[in-house]
Amino acid sequence: MLELTSINSFYGKAHVLSNLDLSVERSEIVSLLGRNGAGKSTTMKSIMQIVVPKTGKVTFLGKDITGMSSHRVAKMGLGYVPEDRRIFTDLTVLENLEVGRQPSREGTVTWTFDMLFDMFPNLAERRQNRGKELSGGEQQMLTIARTLMGNPSLILLDEPSEGISPLLVETMAKVILQLKSEGLTVLISEQNLHFAQLVADKAIIIESGTGKYTGSFDDLNAKPEIRDAYLTV
Amino acid sequence: MGLFIAQLLTGLANAGALFMVASGLSLIFGVTRIVNFAHGSFYMLGAFIGYSLLQVLPGMVGFWVAMLLAAIAVGVIGVIVELLVLRPIYRAPELFQLVATFGVILVIQDLALMIWGAEDMLGPRAPGLKGIVRIMGEPVPTYDIALIVITPFVALALWYLITKTRVGILVRAATQDREMVSALGVNQSWLFTGVFFLGAALAGLGGAIQLPKGGADLLMDFNILASIFVVVVIGGMGSLPGAYLAAVLISVLNVFGVTYIPQSTLVLMFVVMAVVLMIKPYGLFGREEVAGEHGQVGEVERPFKPAGLNARLIVAAFLLVLALVPLYGSAFSMVLITDIVIFCLFAASLHFLLGIGGLVSFGHAAFFGGGAYVAALIVTYSDTPMEFALMLAPIGAAMAAVIIGWLCIRLTGVYFAMLTMAFAQLLWSLVYQWGEFTGGDDGLLNIWPSDWLNDTTVYYFLTLIIGVGGILLLRHAAHSPFGYGLRAARDSARQAEAMGIHTKRVQWVAFTFAGAMAGVAGGLFVFSKGSIFPSELEIARSFDALIVVFLGGVKTLSGGVVGGAVLETIKDFLTRFEYWRMTLGLLIIGVVILAPDGIVGSLRKASERLGITKRPEGEV
Ligand SMILES: Nc1ncnc2c1ncn2[C@@H]1O[C@H](COP(=O)(O)OP(=O)(O)OP(=O)(O)O)[C@@H](O)[C@H]1O
Ligand SMILES: [Mg+2]
């Protein structure tokens, strides 16, 4: 469904992704693992074309999207949830969701405000509150809900478990599994192996912007040397 | 009491047009982060187009239809400007776009001159609203009442659009984080274009609707610019209620000012602004600006290096050529080069502040004109020898810079820029309105150098020595530990603080130093011309320097000097033609679009690509 081939991405002169390959199949939950600064967020941005790869190719639904503008990538059904939350703090919860709203798309769920409020009951109570009045966890939920308003068929979640309470991490895992049961495809970036294992079907490990491992978690657990070399456990 | 009420009403009526224009500017800035200098031009076009429409559309209905059509027409012009000029350069570093909008001002000035001629046009009165009403015995024009009633409706409609509609929600979201809005599937290009339409249309409406009170003339664009910036800054960038409140505040104060302290009307507005910003640095309803939060981080800066041997030889050879001009050049060419050197020094001083210090000042003319006035006033009112007066020029400018810098340095980004402009305007209006002392609009005449210098060739050498010396001094400062500290403060204030650099103090010293160097240029200027007028303190003069620095290239050390030399030479050539403004404006726009690194920066890149010079180590 999503395919990255030999991606090379830069920030100015800093070479961050080098010859990265990655693929995600439909209805799969794939976790992108790696240490701080490994290039996980940059991979997500390169998929969204927020950072345009200098060389290499990104295909989504069989179409080459390299160099396309971000809004067109989003319109094709790629949902992006950034790591640093980036909700619109001056807008209310409802308005934040409105920004994400897109027409319904064939082959994927059409989300309504009510469906999302069912999924995130906390947000329902706070629908008239401004973004800056929400707690960190609520903000995290809001970014996901906002992206779902675009009815994506594939959703990119950048470190969804970062900086939220253990209780919320559990909720987050449930949400992700619920997305899968709705037929969505998910790519999550994670540093937390345990969390990744909880939800994902497949692991991809990167280090310094290059792929180091692709395979199942069982396989990974059988090779502790890989785990120790590229992840902080 | 009656008079008081009547004046209050006049103030409220005047606030109408001001609010419309200012809210348009605020809206455009909020979403696109572009400080649109051309906004005053949109306002002027609104007045002219409205005027022409009123010639063909009769009666009361015709009047209001004309107002509306003028607004739409200007909105369309805004869209054209956005599509042709700004869209290609959105990715350029922040504030670079303002140079392009300055080019647009010049083009529109000449277009208006071509179409409507140089005559001022008296606005026709509004059919059906020509009379007056008496309020507590005092006459108030009916049209004023109409404006007082209409403005809140315009504000309300705008408020509804922004707070209640999807478009408004998107606009507000984009004001905060446009990259995210785009990643959520919204085409920001069209959002920008839409906002430009609305902003320009509001300016056009403001221009058209003030016709019965004012009229249309070619000076409207610059005349309103300062006021709308003040309104937007007092209200807080991007805040509609703030803009309304500030427009009312300024207009009402102005009306009372005219009655009770007529000699200070121009000054008043800036005093209010300065006071507001000192108490609330981001305006009444503004949000704190965080640099770089809008995802506009430019290319990584390359370190400045001391000039290599080749560069030094070239510069030395060039200086030799300049020094020998008296042998082969005409008196005219010496006068021209004198002008250019003075301007280059002025531009280099701003470049130091802007390029090394990252402090974008919109009011650098305060120190150029200020230095010039200090020298001129001393010579006029005392028997001080010219040589001494020339030395006092930078000292006077530095003193002004110490005070203004102390007040401005606390702010950053656009707010810093606006506040510096406000102080420059304050100085300008002081000089302009304090006629008995400064000569006002008539300026100060007969400020000639001492006899031994009063000769084109000798003065040429004096300028060359002081001017080049000043430029070298600026360059030296950039490479000194002080210059490094200043750059550290620019790139990362927090890290610099951690390293023990008192960033604000370093910036304050830099501001003062740059002011003093501009004062040197001002002193040289006044004795080369023999006279000085308030125009040397004007916004336009500050903009000249700003344009030059951006055109030359902010990120290169020689940018200011090269830009200054190129622009002055081109100007000298172009001003011989009737429509030189348009040509210059198009040229500026062209450079901005084609060479976003400025003249020097682009030349350097080109020569690197062609392999003439080597790239610094480690670059790809
Ligand atoms: N805007 C930027 N400009 C320059 N370099 C950047 C930028 N963003 C990230 N980098 C660099 O790129 C590299 C990869 O960063 P990235 O954010 O993709 O890592 P990450 O795997 O998401 O890390 P984390 O787990 O900390 O979020 C890092 O070395 C980082 O310093
Ligand atoms: Mg990251």
Side-chain angles (χ1 to χ4, degrees):
Chain A
M1 187 178 199
L2 177 73
E3 184 102 31
L4 276 66
T5 16
S6 304
I7 291 297
N8 283 283
S9 289
F10 296 78
Y11 290 109
K13 276 143 201 153
H15 194 164
V16 175
L17 300 183
S18 46
N19 298 320
L20 180 70
D21 296 316
L22 182 157
S23 78
V24 181
E25 303 303 326
R26 190 177 286 278
S27 302
E28 213 178 26
I29 301 190
V30 176
S31 77
L32 185 63
L33 293 150
R35 290 209 186 93
N36 277 334
K40 303 181 295 293
S41 302
T42 311
T43 308
M44 301 256 171
K45 287 182 189 162
S46 301
I47 296 171
M48 283 313 288
Q49 306 302 317
I50 292 170
V51 171
V52 179
K54 218 170 229 171
T55 61
K57 204 163 103 178
V58 183
T59 50
F60 177 59
L61 299 172
K63 202 175 162 207
D64 184 357
I65 59 168
T66 340
M68 218 184 232
S69 48
S70 304
H71 74 272
R72 288 184 53 210
V73 175
K75 279 222 153 94
M76 285 183 65
L78 252 170
Y80 170 57
V81 180
E83 65 184 324
D84 32 11
R85 300 201 180 121
R86 291 172 78 172
I87 54 162
F88 304 111
T89 47
D90 289 338
L91 272 57
T92 64
V93 167
L94 275 175
E95 287 172 339
N96 266 281
L97 295 178
E98 174 64 33
V99 177
R101 190 165 60 86
Q102 292 287 330
S104 57
R105 188 173 291 112
E106 220 174 297
T108 165
V109 204
T110 302
W111 297 87
T112 61
F113 289 115
D114 288 336
M115 284 160 74
L116 289 168
F117 287 141
D118 279 344
M119 194 159 162
F120 304 107
N122 281 12
L123 292 182
E125 291 161 29
R126 321 219 60 183
R127 63 183 83 190
Q128 292 299 349
N129 285 89
R130 283 170 193 267
K132 60 181 161 212
E133 295 157 8
L134 303 185
S135 72
E138 286 166 341
Q139 294 189 350
Q140 190 72 289
M141 299 299 171
L142 180 56
T143 42
I144 297 180
R146 184 180 65 181
T147 302
L148 289 176
M149 283 299 288
N151 312 317
S153 55
L154 192 157
I155 185 163
L156 309 171
L157 295 175
D158 200 348
E159 299 207 38
S161 73
E162 193 196 20
I164 55 177
S165 70
L167 203 71
L168 268 174
V169 172
E170 222 167 282
T171 317
M172 187 64 75
K174 277 188 203 141
V175 165
I176 293 170
L177 291 171
Q178 194 179 341
L179 293 182
K180 182 183 158 112
S181 71
E182 301 272 5
L184 263 74
T185 311
V186 185
L187 176 65
I188 49 175
S189 94
E190 263 308 323
Q191 291 190 51
N192 182 339
L193 182 61
H194 303 294
F195 182 77
Q197 224 161 341
L198 216 55
V199 295
D201 310 315
K202 192 169 102 184
I204 296 176
I205 300 181
I206 60 170
E207 169 75 19
S208 306
T210 326
K212 296 290 181 192
Y213 173 85
T214 306
S216 69
F217 282 94
D218 293 340
D219 222 24
L220 183 62
N221 287 329
K223 292 178 188 159
E225 67 283 0
I226 294 188
R227 211 178 53 192
D228 296 343
Y230 303 121
L231 300 175
T232 16
V233 190
Chain B
M1 190 60 197
L3 184 66
F4 182 83
I5 301 276
Q7 283 178 327
L8 201 65
L9 292 177
T10 312
L12 275 173
N14 291 349
L18 193 57
F19 163 71
M20 290 173 204
V21 188
S23 61
L25 180 75
S26 186
L27 207 61
I28 290 178
F29 175 79
V31 175
T32 64
R33 313 312 290 179
I34 288 179
V35 181
N36 180 26
F37 279 164
H39 213 66
S41 309
F42 292 156
Y43 167 74
M44 178 174 82
L45 283 177
F48 276 117
I49 294 174
Y51 181 88
S52 294
L53 286 170
L54 285 178
Q55 310 303 309
V56 290
L57 294 171
M60 194 142 109
V61 177
F63 179 84
W64 294 105
V65 170
M67 297 293 108
L68 220 58
L69 285 180
I72 293 173
V74 177
V76 171
I77 294 171
V79 169
I80 296 173
V81 169
E82 199 271 341
L83 289 179
L84 292 184
V85 180
L86 298 171
R87 194 166 278 198
I89 55 171
Y90 276 129
R91 295 222 154 247
E94 201 155 353
L95 286 173
F96 192 63
Q97 292 97 343
L98 61 83
V99 181
T101 64
F102 189 80
V104 173
I105 296 184
L106 295 176
V107 173
I108 291 181
Q109 264 177 358
D110 267 357
L111 280 179
L113 178 65
M114 278 178 200
I115 300 173
W116 288 283
E119 295 275 308
D120 290 3
M121 290 169 181
L122 205 60
R125 284 193 293 163
L129 300 167
K130 288 183 182 171
I132 53 159
V133 283
R134 290 204 170 267
I135 291 175
M136 298 173 90
E138 294 291 329
V140 176
T142 319
Y143 190 67
D144 276 11
I145 305 290
L147 280 185
I148 294 173
V149 176
I150 291 168
T151 312
F153 280 102
V154 175
L156 215 62
L158 212 53
W159 174 83
Y160 183 84
L161 179 75
I162 296 295
T163 55
K164 299 292 175 205
T165 64
R166 174 168 166 89
V167 172
I169 291 172
L170 294 181
V171 164
R172 277 182 293 139
T175 302
Q176 191 180 346
D177 188 344
R178 52 196 210 200
E179 190 180 89
M180 198 58 229
V181 170
S182 174
L184 288 167
V186 178
N187 184 348
Q188 23 163 346
S189 310
W190 289 112
L191 201 59
F192 280 22
T193 310
V195 163
F196 241 87
F197 174 82
L198 186 61
L202 279 167
L205 184 63
I209 217 160
Q210 62 79 49
L211 272 172
K213 292 169 70 74
D217 62 70
L218 288 170
L219 296 176
M220 287 172 75
D221 51 354
F222 270 112
N223 283 347
I224 197 158
L225 206 53
S227 320
I228 55 178
F229 278 151
V230 166
V231 166
V232 168
V233 168
I234 290 183
M237 281 281 180
S239 162
L240 275 181
Y244 187 70
L245 206 68
V248 169
L249 185 71
I250 292 296
S251 305
V252 170
L253 266 177
N254 225 1
V255 174
F256 284 110
V258 169
T259 321
Y260 300 109
I261 27 174
Q263 63 279 26
S264 72
T265 44
L266 294 169
V267 185
L268 207 58
M269 167 165 91
F270 298 106
V271 172
V272 174
M273 166 163 161
V275 170
V276 168
L277 287 192
M278 274 183 260
I279 301 167
K280 297 209 69 169
Y282 297 98
L284 296 175
F285 294 93
R287 216 166 58 85
E288 187 168 351
E289 294 287 325
V290 183
E293 83 173 312
H294 302 279
Q296 269 202 333
V297 190
E299 199 182 328
V300 185
E301 297 267 328
R302 45 173 103 196
F304 291 122
K305 283 209 200 119
L309 187 64
N310 279 347
R312 278 169 200 244
L313 284 179
I314 293 173
V315 170
F318 185 66
L319 285 179
L320 194 68
V321 171
L322 282 184
L324 296 179
V325 164
L327 291 183
Y328 58 82
S330 60
F332 172 77
S333 65
M334 279 192 278
V335 170
L336 179 63
I337 296 175
T338 302
D339 285 354
I340 292 177
V341 170
I342 292 172
F343 188 66
C344 283
L345 177 59
F346 175 39
S349 69
L350 178 64
H351 184 272
F352 179 79
L353 199 59
L354 205 154
I356 317 282
L359 297 164
V360 182
S361 165
F362 284 3
H364 206 53
F367 311 115
F368 177 76
Y373 263 99
V374 166
L377 287 169
I378 287 172
V379 168
T380 308
Y381 289 102
S382 70
D383 287 331
T384 313
M386 168 265 175
E387 295 82 355
F388 192 52
L390 188 62
M391 279 193 281
L392 286 178
I395 294 175
M399 275 168 16
V402 164
I403 299 169
I404 296 177
W406 183 72
L407 293 165
C408 296
I409 285 296
R410 304 180 311 135
L411 302 183
T412 52
V414 183
Y415 284 87
F416 172 81
M418 294 294 174
L419 197 57
T420 50
M421 182 173 88
F423 279 110
Q425 277 303 96
L426 181 67
L427 220 58
W428 172 80
S429 35
L430 267 178
V431 168
Y432 191 85
Q433 292 199 313
W434 197 5
E436 315 91 87
F437 183 57
T438 61
D441 204 15
D442 299 328
L444 293 169
L445 308 175
N446 290 323
I447 323 284
W448 294 110
S450 305
D451 288 339
W452 67 280
L453 285 169
N454 205 354
D455 167 88
T456 309
T457 311
V458 179
Y459 202 81
Y460 174 80
F461 279 118
L462 179 79
T463 309
L464 207 58
I465 292 166
I466 298 182
V468 172
I471 291 168
L472 290 178
L473 185 63
L474 282 162
R475 208 187 146 85
H476 184 73
H479 285 302
S480 70
F482 172 70
Y484 296 136
L486 187 59
R487 252 177 279 162
R490 172 196 68 190
D491 292 338
S492 172
R494 206 175 305 139
Q495 274 177 30
E497 290 279 353
M499 272 155 44
I501 299 172
H502 193 316
T503 53
K504 292 292 173 196
R505 191 181 303 151
V506 168
Q507 291 177 335
W508 187 22
V509 172
F511 192 85
T512 308
F513 176 55
M517 296 315 283
V520 173
L524 285 172
F525 176 83
V526 68
F527 291 109
S528 77
K529 295 285 174 235
S531 58
I532 179 77
F533 301 95
S535 59
E536 296 311 319
L537 287 159
E538 269 177 0
I539 298 181
R541 177 65 69 239
S542 293
F543 283 8
D544 274 350
L546 209 56
I547 302 300
V548 154
V549 170
F550 276 111
L551 284 188
V554 180
K555 293 178 178 177
T556 55
L557 266 183
S558 45
V561 177
V562 174
V566 171
L567 191 79
E568 276 293 282
T569 314
I570 292 177
K571 240 184 179 171
D572 176 74
F573 173 73
L574 282 181
T575 38
R576 297 168 205 177
F577 303 104
E578 192 175 359
Y579 294 114
W580 66 273
R581 283 191 193 83
M582 174 161 341
T583 323
L584 184 64
L586 291 173
L587 207 69
I588 289 175
I589 295 171
V591 171
V592 169
I593 293 176
L594 300 176
D597 295 303
I599 300 171
V600 179
S602 299
L603 281 180
R604 191 169 63 185
K605 278 202 173 162
S607 80
E608 280 167 6
R609 207 164 297 143
L610 295 173
I612 299 170
T613 52
K614 263 213 322 252
R615 275 173 213 200
E617 294 286 313
E619 284 185 22
V620 204

